Amino acid sequence: MKRFLLPIALLACVLATSCNTNKRLYETGMAFHQANQADHERIQALKSTGNPDIWPEVFERYCSIKGRSDEMSHFPPEVKKQINYRPINVDDELNGARNKAEAYLTAKISNTLDSETPDLDHVDKLIKDLERVNRDNTHITDLKLKSMAKRFGGLDKLMHVEVLHHEVGPNRDESVSFKETNGSLTATVTDHKLSKSATIDGKANFIDPRSKKMLLSLPFKMTSNFEHSYSTVEGPQEACSAQTLENLKQKPVPFPTDESLLQDARQKVVEMFYQKIQ
């Protein structure tokens, strides 16, 4: 009789394992459907209010539904059949909720920052909410800068322009000569177009002056351009056209130095970030 004890024990283990597996699958299926149902009911309840502040939560609920459905889609076919899995496509609803959540949060943050006594801690929370909805939202950087400027009384104490690379172009004098006549008078006119440019790229680092903690670091690339046009004439000015006579009022000027162009590009970086907080 002893020879039958082991197979019977193994059979009991197999049956127990099978029962446990079926129980887990049942519980998994129930949890999947119950969670989706709860999210769906909550979304409908939120939408019924008509309030604009519902959309961040509606977006999160649609994200949860999509995330669960995507996870379950990787289960073997027999498992999906046992738990009665059906794929759920909420892409359109998700994108619609994202757009409305972004619009609401952007407007809410902007209006709060423009108030006389903005709650900056709440603003920072809303900005994080906006990042969760869409980290590529084009307004996030400007809203962060404006929040920091409000908190620290401006950007001048925070911003440090770090130039990582610079390039200065050559002095260019593009000139074209031509003749103008008026009756028996002839003159040779030369139009000059002077140009030079300098480009810098690097990072604008915004540092808390108290803790020295980096608050924000933003890349930039900025170009400063010098351009100046003037004309010269050989011969009697009476032979020149009205346009040439007007151009002759512009006198030659020296090319700017490399250092002055680089400094101008640096100043343009500062002005660019100041414009963002206006």
Side-chain angles (χ1 to χ4, degrees):
M1 291 293 293
K2 290 184 178 179
R3 72 180 65 178
F4 298 106
L5 294 179
L6 183 57
I8 291 173
L10 289 174
L11 178 59
C13 289
V14 170
L15 290 174
T17 301
S18 178
C19 290
N20 288 335
T21 300
N22 289 335
K23 180 180 179 183
R24 285 196 298 270
L25 289 175
Y26 175 78
E27 291 174 347
T28 299
M30 283 294 291
F32 172 74
H33 295 298
Q34 287 177 351
N36 286 341
Q37 183 63 27
D39 281 334
H40 177 74
E41 290 176 357
R42 177 60 178 165
I43 289 170
Q44 296 308 309
L46 288 169
K47 288 183 176 180
S48 67
T49 67
N51 296 329
D53 60 354
I54 65 169
W55 292 107
E57 183 180 348
V58 171
F59 170 75
E60 294 293 342
R61 297 276 179 173
Y62 277 127
C63 283
S64 296
I65 294 174
K66 178 176 173 57
R68 282 190 294 268
S69 184
D70 289 347
E71 285 186 16
M72 298 295 288
S73 68
H74 299 297
F75 279 35
E78 61 272 14
V79 173
K80 290 190 283 189
K81 182 177 181 180
Q82 289 185 57
I83 65 174
N84 195 28
Y85 165 77
R86 295 289 184 274
I88 302 173
N89 188 338
V90 292
D91 289 347
D92 290 343
E93 293 85 348
L94 183 64
N95 290 332
R98 176 187 286 112
N99 292 337
K100 291 179 180 179
E102 284 188 73
Y104 164 74
L105 288 168
T106 301
K108 180 67 174 178
I109 296 167
S110 298
N111 291 338
T112 304
L113 285 171
D114 290 338
S115 64
E116 292 185 4
T117 56
D119 183 343
L120 296 177
D121 290 335
H122 184 57
V123 164
D124 291 344
K125 176 188 177 301
L126 292 175
I127 291 175
K128 290 179 181 178
D129 291 342
L130 182 56
E131 286 182 309
R132 281 195 295 271
V133 172
N134 182 7
R135 64 176 64 255
D136 296 323
N137 182 281
T138 56
H139 300 286
I140 289 176
T141 296
D142 293 354
L143 294 172
K144 284 184 176 180
L145 288 172
K146 196 167 184 177
S147 177
M148 288 190 301
K150 290 275 187 178
R151 188 180 294 276
F152 294 98
L155 293 181
D156 54 320
K157 300 176 182 178
L158 307 175
M159 184 165 55
H160 302 265
V161 178
E162 181 182 0
V163 177
L164 300 178
H165 178 262
H166 71 270
E167 183 176 351
V168 181
N171 297 345
R172 296 184 181 277
D173 183 353
E174 300 175 354
S175 58
V176 177
S177 296
F178 53 93
K179 293 186 181 296
E180 290 189 343
T181 60
N182 184 7
S184 61
L185 301 176
T186 300
T188 300
V189 179
T190 302
D191 287 343
H192 296 265
K193 182 180 179 181
L194 308 182
S195 64
K196 185 178 181 178
S197 65
T199 299
I200 61 174
D201 59 80
K203 297 183 294 183
N205 299 320
F206 298 86
I207 302 172
D208 187 329
R210 301 166 302 188
S211 66
K212 307 305 179 184
K213 177 184 176 182
M214 180 77 75
L215 301 173
L216 190 63
S217 183
L218 299 172
F220 68 81
K221 186 172 185 178
M222 183 62 68
T223 298
S224 176
N225 292 309
F226 162 77
E227 292 184 352
H228 179 71
S229 297
Y230 67 96
S231 297
T232 57
V233 62
E234 294 180 7
Q237 293 189 10
E238 291 79 4
C240 297
S241 64
Q243 182 60 58
T244 295
L245 293 175
E246 186 65 26
N247 293 343
L248 289 174
K249 295 178 182 179
Q250 297 294 325
K251 302 302 180 183
V253 297
F255 284 95
T257 64
D258 293 0
E259 291 75 15
S260 65
L261 267 184
L262 290 170
Q263 182 57 37
D264 184 64
R266 188 186 182 96
Q267 183 59 35
K268 286 180 181 294
V269 172
V270 175
E271 293 172 358
M272 176 184 69
F273 284 108
Y274 269 89
Q275 288 175 359
K276 291 179 178 296
I277 66 173
Q278 301 303 317

